Amino acid sequence: KGDTNRSVPPLRALESKDFRFLDSVPLSEAEMRGKRGPQKTSRRSSIKMYSDMKFLCNFIEDKAKENGYDVDDLSPENIRRMFEVSAELLKSLLKKNQRGQEQGRWSSLLPRLRKHLKAATTTTTTTTTTTTTT
């Protein structure tokens, strides 16, 4: 449904071209903090950011479907419940810093999630193959 008051369309309606404006937006000082190398002053490609966002949204939606939630019900309460289903796994993929606090960065969480899902798929495929052959 998006936010009609602020003219924000629903994420489902967005395409990669809708994110292209980000390529021309300079990084703030806070965003440059901790970045090194030749890409210190450049932003990640908007197409990659769109792909990551879409991947995360699809993951949350798939987890919600697995747990019997109606993904077509876009009420704030239902969306919050759908997110909470996947939040525990997402939180477990975050690393803790020296003070024991979780450090969540978009750029580090998604590769860990992809790796986790790939390992789970490989394990499922191996188990299915072993069960089928015996």
Side-chain angles (χ1 to χ4, degrees):
K1 294 182 180 182
D3 186 343
T4 54
N5 294 336
R6 294 171 32 193
S7 299
V8 177
L11 286 175
R12 292 177 190 224
L14 295 176
E15 297 177 4
S16 61
K17 65 181 179 182
D18 297 322
F19 286 80
R20 284 199 187 129
F21 74 94
L22 291 172
D23 290 333
S24 62
V25 176
L27 290 174
S28 67
E29 289 294 322
E31 290 173 309
M32 281 192 267
R33 196 178 121 241
K35 289 185 87 173
R36 299 182 196 139
Q39 287 83 23
K40 180 178 180 168
T41 57
S42 62
R43 185 178 301 281
R44 189 160 190 241
S45 163
S46 63
I47 293 172
K48 290 182 179 182
M49 283 190 275
Y50 169 77
S51 175
D52 286 346
M53 186 179 294
K54 189 84 170 164
F55 173 77
L56 183 59
C57 289
N58 286 338
F59 168 74
I60 292 169
E61 191 173 282
D62 291 345
K63 279 289 184 192
K65 284 179 186 175
E66 285 175 19
N67 287 282
Y69 287 97
D70 179 12
V71 295
D72 293 323
D73 176 7
L74 302 178
S75 66
E77 299 81 25
N78 193 50
I79 290 173
R80 190 174 303 110
R81 285 191 300 257
M82 288 191 301
F83 175 74
E84 288 170 356
V85 168
S86 59
E88 197 168 316
L89 173 61
L90 295 174
K91 192 173 181 180
S92 73
L93 296 173
L94 298 175
K95 290 192 175 180
K96 294 189 184 267
N97 66 12
Q98 294 171 345
R99 293 172 291 201
Q101 297 171 327
E102 282 123 1
Q103 294 291 308
R105 292 193 88 174
W106 181 263
S107 58
S108 59
L109 176 65
L110 286 174
R112 290 182 195 140
L113 177 59
R114 284 186 169 106
K115 186 176 180 180
H116 174 81
L117 293 174
K118 186 175 182 179
T121 303
T122 304
T123 304
T124 304
T125 305
T126 305
T127 305
T128 306
T129 306
T130 305
T131 307
T132 306
T133 58
T134 54

